[in-house]
Amino acid sequence: MRFGKTLRNSIYEPWRSQYLDYAKLKRLLRENELHDGDAASNSDDQARQWTEEDESVFVEELLNIQLEKVNAFHADTLKQLRERTSECETNLEKAAGSAEADGEHKAGEKDGEVLSSIEEELDSITKKINELEKYSRINYTGFLKAAKKHDRRRGSQYRVRPLLQVRLAALPFNVENYSPLLHRLSAMYSFIRQSKDDDLERTTSEIDPKTGGESYKAHKFWVHPENILEVKTYILRRLPVLVYNPQASKVVEGNQADPTITSLYFDSEQFSLYTKKLAKASEASSLRLRWFGQLRDRPEILFEKKTIHEDNDSSEIRFPIKEKYIQPFIANEYKMERSIQKLRDRGGRASDVVSQLETSVEAIQAFITSNQLQPVLRANYKRTAFQIPGDNRIRISLDTDLAFVREDTLDHDRPCRPSDDWHRNDIDKVGIEYPFSDIRKGEVARFPYAVLEIKIKDGVAKKKIDWLDDLMLSHLVKEEPRFSKFVHGVAQLFDDHVNSFPFWLSDLETDIRRDPEDAFREEQEKKAQQVEDDMRVGSLLRSHSISSFKKAVGSPVGKSGMKPTGGRYKMSVGDVSRERDSDSETDNTPAVTRGLTSGLRSFLPSFSNSKYARAHRRDSVRLPPGVREPGRLIKDTGELHVEPKVWLANERTFIKWQHIAVLLSVLSLSLYNAAGKSNNTARALAIVYLVVAAFTGLWGLGIYYVRIRMIRSRSGKDFDNVVGPLVVCSSLVVALCINFGLRVGANGHG
């Protein structure tokens, strides 16, 4: 699609006159005349020659008139939104003061109307923020497109792109940070929700105080940069933003920026932790150091070790450590003696904490020593957290500006960090931040998307999280349930040192954006198919709990009129710092597929549709009238869909076989030519090698077609076959032994 059409489709009608006039710029550039140049005469070409006056008119229109118009409108609109936000804050303060003065009984209905009107105003502001962000993005793209078109058509004489970059730096309408304004809106949304439904809030905020056994369902998604602001505003209408405050003595301010988090991951030179984690091996562990903000500000540093067990349960060991003790701790020269001694001096309940700390220190040091671990990877990102303080049933985090930096010393001639230190001084002493432009190429990888993680505690009522279901099924996000920062960073920066890669790397080469209508249609089809499957199985087992599905008429995501649910915006300082940064591929329970319904397995936990279970159940289950046993398996029905990597893997194997056949043929021909007519032994061995080469080529071709048939027929048989490799290897070993024996015998007789 041409950009002019894209611009027309992106225009927000109330602001139509304030957009970049792209058509006028094209007319000034006289683009249409260029297409008719071959049919025109030479005199006409001279009349249409691009002059300095034409250039000055175009530059004036682009860099002054259009750019100043867009920048002025953006600044005025943003100023109005901030003023409207301040006015809402004033009205909320007045409403809260009048409610306290009048008492609870008198203020009910009147305050409810006031809060509803303020909430409508907040919805309007939120919608305008979304539109303003889209406005700045599409106009910024338009200016770059116009400059590119000019330089391509008239670049032989004039270039306008450098001038545009200077002007954009002076009028930076495209770099506005909306997070402080969103934090203020989130605080007001939370106050209104708590005030309008205080009784319900008290009941929903009462969490069963269990000390253990809590399990969550984790959902991970990628978010395109163009959808980040829309995702944020969609969530903050229902959950407050947790604002990080590193100093416990200060009051949390809503205009504070999102915190920067740094995780420093450990691994061995063989990347054993990466391999186990990627293979989902039992007892796979990860080790990292984590802190908020810049290291030169002396933040609290946490040592964290997480282990995934066989039953997908996870255990974590973590304790704080000072920066100056990290390197001695890694070198096994310091065992946290000072911290342990301070806890012992306190006495009392601290004895249990002392024993727990000693156990944690010994476990992590033994883990480092036994696996020869060292810092290899840094992950740096900004985190926006959404959660009702005191209520951990729904926890959402959005990580943006994610970058990975090498921290290893694998190259002894050119190490990324000093071998006698645990971190890179060139980053932490200077305070280099994203996008890490000063880091050498090949040592940094920037992740192109944001990472959204949603954790939902088991037992949460379905009706309270319908809005999350809508978000996870929308066009705004792309599901990547197994994504791990540690695995991705190693795969991107150490591809020469590892032999296996995660499947999601191929998704980076595609555009994850989807059309909203297509996404909504897919969502409705999935829900309808899921209900249909449940109904079939329910009728098979004579179950009465059959879910129903009513097809919707429009996508719910993006509607500003949806009523939010949530709680009070009141954060105890340190909630965010105590919030665990889950980077594992599984949580306490494995991540499930998109949609919050537990599906068929939780609905019928004893039901299994495997071949083994069906065979044992065949005689004990009587099918109801009108229901017959299917003649074919589900996998054998429908259109065949095979991923391209399956075909390519088969072709790669075929090429490998032919490569070996060619090598053996060259060896046979060389030996035959070098032997001469008198050396019958060498010529015979050359023929043997030629036979082995022919067998290798024919075997590779045959197994290639066999596997193609297996793929097309959806065969459940194993694809491996040891006959061919065994015959080739055995033949070569026998031929080499005979050759060696004959040569030794010939030398002995000589």
Side-chain angles (χ1 to χ4, degrees):
M1 182 183 296
R2 292 183 176 274
F3 178 75
K5 186 175 181 180
T6 302
L7 178 60
R8 290 193 297 272
N9 295 338
S10 304
I11 287 178
Y12 180 52
E13 281 301 324
W15 300 345
R16 172 175 287 275
S17 61
Q18 303 300 330
Y19 281 80
L20 168 72
D21 195 342
Y22 191 71
K24 183 178 181 180
L25 291 174
K26 290 174 64 177
R27 288 195 303 270
L28 292 176
L29 192 57
R30 300 201 308 227
E31 181 185 14
N32 295 333
E33 297 179 3
L34 293 174
H35 299 291
D36 302 328
D38 295 337
S41 62
N42 294 333
S43 59
D44 292 336
D45 290 338
Q46 292 177 359
R48 289 194 301 268
Q49 187 177 3
W50 189 257
T51 63
E52 291 186 4
E53 183 179 357
D54 296 331
E55 178 70 16
S56 62
V57 171
F58 178 83
V59 171
E60 174 70 18
E61 183 70 26
L62 176 69
L63 301 184
N64 293 330
I65 299 176
Q66 296 295 329
L67 184 57
E68 290 181 359
K69 178 184 72 173
V70 171
N71 181 74
F73 177 77
H74 180 273
D76 293 341
T77 305
L78 187 60
K79 180 180 179 181
Q80 293 174 10
L81 292 175
R82 287 171 175 163
E83 291 175 352
R84 291 171 62 184
T85 303
S86 300
E87 185 178 353
C88 289
E89 290 173 339
T90 304
N91 294 336
L92 275 181
E93 292 177 358
K94 293 180 180 178
S98 62
E100 294 178 358
D102 297 340
E104 295 182 357
H105 299 286
K106 297 181 180 179
E109 183 176 354
K110 181 179 179 181
D111 287 341
E113 296 177 356
V114 174
L115 294 177
S116 297
S117 63
I118 296 176
E119 187 175 13
E120 292 178 359
E121 177 68 5
L122 292 179
D123 288 340
S124 175
I125 295 174
T126 304
K127 179 181 178 181
K128 289 295 178 63
I129 292 176
N130 273 322
E131 296 296 339
L132 187 61
E133 193 269 342
K134 295 176 183 177
Y135 169 86
S136 62
R137 184 173 63 244
I138 194 66
N139 281 284
Y140 177 74
T141 305
F143 283 114
L144 295 181
K145 289 282 187 180
K148 181 179 179 181
K149 191 179 293 291
H150 170 276
D151 292 350
R152 185 172 64 248
R153 303 291 187 185
R154 314 295 183 183
S156 59
Q157 295 177 311
Y158 310 97
R159 298 190 64 84
V160 76
R161 181 68 178 266
L163 296 176
L164 178 62
Q165 297 292 355
V166 174
R167 290 289 289 159
L168 286 175
L171 304 174
F173 67 90
N174 61 304
V175 296
E176 182 64 41
N177 184 13
Y178 301 97
S179 294
L181 188 57
L182 293 180
H183 290 169
R184 295 168 63 187
L185 294 174
S186 173
M188 287 186 284
Y189 269 122
S190 300
F191 179 82
I192 292 174
R193 288 194 298 266
Q194 192 275 338
S195 300
K196 291 177 64 176
D197 206 359
D198 193 35
D199 294 335
L200 177 62
E201 176 60 25
R202 283 196 295 268
T203 57
T204 57
S205 295
E206 293 176 358
I207 308 300
D208 187 15
K210 295 181 180 179
T211 57
E214 296 182 349
S215 64
Y216 290 83
K217 291 175 183 174
H219 308 261
K220 292 185 179 181
F221 304 88
W222 291 353
V223 183
H224 194 276
E226 293 183 1
N227 298 329
I228 290 176
L229 186 63
E230 191 168 353
V231 170
K232 281 186 177 182
T233 55
Y234 182 82
I235 297 174
L236 66 81
R237 290 195 186 107
R238 295 148 182 94
L239 288 180
V241 178
L242 290 181
V243 184
Y244 170 68
N245 183 22
Q247 299 183 9
S249 61
K250 291 187 177 181
V251 178
V252 177
E253 297 179 355
N255 58 356
Q256 196 162 355
D258 294 330
T260 299
I261 301 178
T262 302
S263 295
L264 198 64
Y265 293 97
F266 287 69
D267 209 335
S268 62
E269 292 186 357
Q270 295 76 30
F271 291 93
S272 56
L273 300 188
Y274 166 85
T275 304
K276 292 180 180 179
K277 191 176 183 66
L278 185 60
K280 305 182 185 67
S282 176
E283 304 300 319
S285 302
S286 60
L287 182 67
R288 69 179 177 185
L289 291 163
R290 183 165 66 98
W291 65 88
F292 285 79
Q294 292 291 339
L295 193 61
R296 59 182 179 180
D297 298 332
R298 298 185 178 181
E300 182 185 39
I301 304 176
L302 295 176
F303 233 129
E304 299 176 339
K305 175 179 178 286
K306 188 169 185 177
T307 304
I308 306 297
H309 305 290
E310 292 184 358
D311 53 357
N312 284 324
D313 287 338
S314 62
S315 60
E316 187 171 357
I317 302 174
R318 62 207 304 257
F319 60 84
I321 185 173
K322 291 185 178 181
E323 179 185 353
K324 61 182 178 181
Y325 296 136
I326 294 178
Q327 184 60 32
F329 182 87
I330 296 175
N332 204 14
E333 300 172 356
Y334 177 69
K335 300 183 180 296
M336 303 292 293
E337 293 91 346
R338 296 190 178 183
S339 300
I340 294 174
Q341 187 60 41
K342 288 181 180 179
L343 292 175
R344 283 177 177 169
D345 294 341
R346 296 177 184 176
R349 297 181 180 178
S351 58
D352 296 335
V353 180
V354 170
S355 60
Q356 183 178 0
L357 179 59
E358 288 179 334
T359 303
S360 301
V361 169
E362 293 176 0
I364 290 184
Q365 274 196 330
F367 184 65
I368 294 175
T369 304
S370 60
N371 293 278
Q372 298 181 350
L373 302 181
Q374 59 174 312
V376 296
L377 177 71
R378 174 189 299 244
N380 184 273
Y381 48 93
K382 289 184 178 179
R383 165 158 294 184
T384 305
F386 304 88
Q387 181 183 337
I388 299 175
D391 186 349
N392 63 348
R393 291 175 295 178
I394 301 176
R395 296 151 51 191
I396 301 178
S397 64
L398 182 64
D399 298 336
T400 57
D401 294 347
L402 174 58
F404 302 97
V405 182
R406 291 184 57 164
E407 293 269 346
D408 62 282
T409 57
L410 299 178
D411 188 353
H412 300 291
D413 297 331
R414 196 181 182 185
C416 297
R417 61 172 172 83
S419 58
D420 58 348
D421 206 347
W422 61 275
H423 66 104
R424 297 183 62 143
N425 294 318
D426 57 342
I427 294 178
D428 295 323
K429 285 187 177 181
V430 181
I432 300 178
E433 297 180 342
Y434 185 88
F436 298 98
S437 303
D438 297 333
I439 303 301
R440 291 176 298 194
K441 186 178 181 181
E443 295 182 4
V444 59
R446 300 167 190 87
F447 192 67
Y449 307 121
V451 179
L452 175 69
E453 183 173 8
I454 301 174
K455 290 184 178 179
I456 304 169
K457 190 176 180 181
D458 287 349
V460 178
K462 177 67 171 64
K463 64 180 181 180
K464 294 185 178 297
I465 51 178
D466 284 339
W467 63 274
L468 275 177
D469 202 0
D470 294 335
L471 174 63
M472 292 190 289
L473 291 168
S474 72
H475 67 285
L476 300 176
V477 297
K478 183 187 187 312
E479 186 180 26
E480 292 290 346
R482 297 294 181 183
F483 180 76
S484 166
K485 297 186 182 72
F486 169 57
V487 172
H488 184 84
V490 172
Q492 287 282 89
L493 294 175
F494 300 93
D495 53 341
D496 293 335
H497 297 79
V498 296
N499 297 319
S500 55
F501 300 95
F503 289 129
W504 64 74
L505 285 183
S506 58
D507 293 337
L508 293 176
E509 301 175 2
T510 60
D511 190 351
I512 66 173
R513 291 173 293 184
R514 294 186 296 165
D515 182 81
E517 293 300 329
D518 294 341
F520 177 66
R521 184 167 52 254
E522 293 175 5
E523 168 196 347
Q524 296 299 306
E525 292 174 355
K526 288 180 181 179
K527 288 184 177 180
Q529 185 63 42
Q530 184 178 14
V531 172
E532 183 180 352
D533 293 341
D534 289 347
M535 291 180 64
R536 289 177 179 175
V537 177
S539 63
L540 176 64
L541 300 182
R542 297 182 180 181
S543 173
H544 298 287
S545 300
I546 305 296
S547 58
S548 61
F549 171 70
K550 182 179 181 181
K551 193 168 183 179
V553 295
S555 178
V557 175
K559 294 181 180 179
S560 60
M562 296 180 65
K563 289 296 181 183
T565 59
R568 181 193 299 268
Y569 181 85
K570 183 179 65 176
M571 174 189 172
S572 57
V573 177
D575 280 348
V576 175
S577 61
R578 290 193 297 270
E579 169 71 15
R580 296 184 180 181
D581 176 24
S582 174
D583 188 37
S584 63
E585 297 182 17
T586 58
D587 205 282
N588 292 349
T589 58
V592 296
T593 56
R594 188 176 297 177
L596 300 180
T597 56
S598 56
L600 186 58
R601 293 186 178 273
S602 61
F603 180 64
L604 300 169
S606 62
F607 178 76
S608 174
N609 199 37
S610 64
K611 295 180 181 179
Y612 179 84
R614 280 212 315 266
H616 284 264
R617 201 169 52 235
R618 189 168 296 158
D619 298 332
S620 59
V621 176
R622 295 177 55 189
L623 299 180
V627 179
R628 60 183 178 85
E629 184 177 359
R632 292 188 299 172
L633 299 174
I634 295 178
K635 74 179 183 65
D636 296 329
T637 61
E639 185 180 356
L640 175 64
H641 293 284
V642 180
E643 294 187 16
K645 63 182 180 182
V646 178
W647 304 105
L648 296 177
N650 191 26
E651 291 181 2
R652 282 197 301 270
T653 307
F654 169 71
I655 293 173
K656 288 290 185 181
W657 278 107
Q658 302 311 307
H659 179 67
I660 296 174
V662 171
L663 290 178
L664 290 176
S665 302
V666 172
L667 174 64
S668 172
L669 183 61
S670 302
L671 184 61
Y672 190 87
N673 292 333
K677 297 182 179 180
S678 60
N679 194 346
N680 295 327
T681 302
R683 300 179 71 175
L685 289 174
I687 295 175
V688 171
Y689 285 127
L690 183 61
V691 172
V692 176
F695 173 80
T696 302
L698 293 175
W699 174 266
L701 181 62
I703 203 68
Y704 172 73
Y705 283 109
V706 168
R707 286 170 177 164
I708 285 181
R709 288 195 296 270
M710 293 175 66
I711 294 172
R712 289 174 177 170
S713 62
R714 310 186 189 192
S715 175
K717 299 179 181 179
D718 293 333
F719 278 69
D720 58 333
N721 195 318
V722 298
V723 176
L726 187 61
V727 170
V728 173
C729 293
S730 301
S731 302
L732 289 177
V733 170
V734 171
L736 290 174
C737 291
I738 294 175
N739 190 3
F740 181 75
L742 293 176
R743 293 301 302 171
V744 171
N747 293 333
H749 291 298

